Amino acid sequence: MSTTTFPGAALLTGKVAFISGAGRGIGAAAARVFTREGARVLLAARTESELKATAEDVRAAGGEAEYLVCDLADTAAVRAAIEQTVSRFGRLDIAFNNGGTIQRPGPMDGVEESEFDRIYQVNLKSVWTAMTAEVAAIRATAGTGAIVNNSSIGSLRANPELPIYAAMKRGVNSLTASAAATYGPEAIRVNAIAPGNTRTEMIRAWEENSPGLRTRLESLTPLGRSADPEEIAQAAAWLLSDRASFVTGTVLRVDGGARA
Ligand SMILES: NC(=O)c1ccc[n+]([C@@H]2O[C@H](COP(=O)([O-])OP(=O)(O)OC[C@H]3O[C@@H](n4cnc5c(N)ncnc54)[C@H](OP(=O)(O)O)[C@@H]3O)[C@@H](O)[C@H]2O)c1
């Protein structure tokens, strides 16, 4: 597209970003990557000490970050967090709906109803809530923008160890496609990333229930290793940037080839 302009080398110069699940793991890596690429960020999660540490890390590197304690299971809190992004920074351009939780691994007949509802609220309903609030905020301020939802390669086929987690992530893929079709005419792009095995607390917790998990997952990955969280954040940054200006409605695997 010959009219596209890139105001400097950085991917996200001048953009204001909302990032959920930003206290640790992939979300914290996104905070560092996005600010290095020129964005200002609002970080949300439940654990204040982790948010504070991530924000301090970003500021020490010369970036601009604010944070807000927010439980993704609380619809009003999710909407308020996005409104706070606008009131603190004056606009919203991009959002990374990354926060998520894992179920207790095991077959679906061992899952309690309350566990199903918790995974639904945090991993699927919050993505719908966040996207609708983000679209409203982008419309009212920046005018155009981009959203990336964090799915998982676990959503792409049968997942007997994490069936409820997988179902919600497949729901995220569907919401992503529908949102891309709905908001494309307004030049609001919506994509998802589907990470493979990434070295975070989530995988550590899963491995506690499934000894040898990491080695097993690495052996199923053509690149022969797990991802550093920053490698996942880099894909989100690109999708959120103007460099991906004709990409919408996709679920981008970032998995070392595990689903190739
Ligand atoms: N690691 C992997 O291999 C992998 C693979 C595929 C997809 N993913 C996806 O990547 C995303 C990030 O996970 P991660 O691997 O970085 O795991 P992580 O290190 O456990 O980080 C998860 C983040 O989400 C936040 N979070 C969890 N429940 C929340 C809630 N109810 N309300 C608000 N925030 C909440 C956590 O903060 P608090 O606990 O403080 O709230 C934390 O900041 C998730 O959506 C996950 O499904 C990860």
Side-chain angles (χ1 to χ4, degrees):
M1 191 163 89
S2 59
T3 53
T4 304
T5 56
F6 301 119
L11 278 178
L12 301 173
T13 301
K15 297 193 190 292
V16 170
F18 170 77
I19 308 173
S20 69
R24 60 177 187 265
I26 294 167
R32 292 190 290 269
V33 170
F34 292 8
T35 49
R36 220 186 294 143
E37 295 292 347
R40 291 176 289 159
V41 294
L42 190 294
L43 314 175
R46 290 170 304 175
T47 310
E48 185 164 11
S49 56
E50 292 185 343
L51 289 168
K52 186 165 181 283
T54 305
E56 282 170 359
D57 208 18
V58 164
R59 291 176 194 142
E64 217 178 307
E66 302 277 343
Y67 65 85
L68 193 74
V69 171
C70 167
D71 186 347
L72 292 171
D74 178 345
T75 301
V78 173
R79 290 205 183 100
I82 289 141
E83 281 160 17
Q84 275 293 313
T85 311
V86 174
S87 56
R88 293 193 196 186
F89 291 114
R91 59 190 286 137
L92 182 71
D93 301 87
I94 56 176
F96 183 32
N97 298 318
N98 161 76
T101 191
I102 196 166
Q103 70 166 101
R104 198 161 49 79
M108 67 174 78
D109 56 290
V111 176
E112 299 284 341
E113 186 178 350
S114 58
E115 169 85 337
F116 185 101
D117 291 344
R118 183 181 70 86
I119 305 291
Y120 160 68
Q121 286 183 329
V122 175
N123 286 9
L124 180 59
K125 188 178 175 191
S126 82
V127 175
W128 165 74
T129 309
M131 280 202 295
T132 54
E134 287 154 3
V135 165
I138 291 169
R139 265 187 197 140
T141 61
T144 64
I147 295 170
V148 168
N149 298 319
N150 202 347
S151 181
S152 170
I153 58 163
S155 72
L156 300 176
R157 61 189 194 208
N159 197 331
E161 282 182 79
L162 303 174
I164 312 308
Y165 174 86
M168 300 312 157
K169 292 295 191 181
R170 194 175 287 196
V172 167
N173 302 348
S174 176
L175 282 179
T176 299
S178 297
T182 305
Y183 305 115
E186 297 179 63
I188 297 173
R189 296 182 299 104
V190 186
N191 291 288
I193 54 170
N197 170 24
T198 308
R199 293 187 292 278
T200 69
E201 171 62 25
M202 185 173 281
I203 288 287
R204 198 202 57 70
W206 183 7
E207 185 160 44
E208 259 180 22
N209 283 273
S210 311
L213 173 79
R214 276 186 239 215
T215 312
R216 182 158 57 85
L217 293 180
E218 284 172 11
S219 73
L220 296 170
T221 305
L223 289 183
R225 61 179 178 85
S226 54
D228 183 274
E230 177 158 341
E231 294 178 283
I232 310 300
Q234 289 287 356
W238 175 75
L239 281 170
L240 288 168
S241 79
D242 295 344
R243 310 274 175 98
S245 54
F246 205 55
V247 183
T248 197
T250 197
V251 179
L252 177 65
R253 286 188 285 108
V254 191
D255 66 350
R259 288 289 181 278

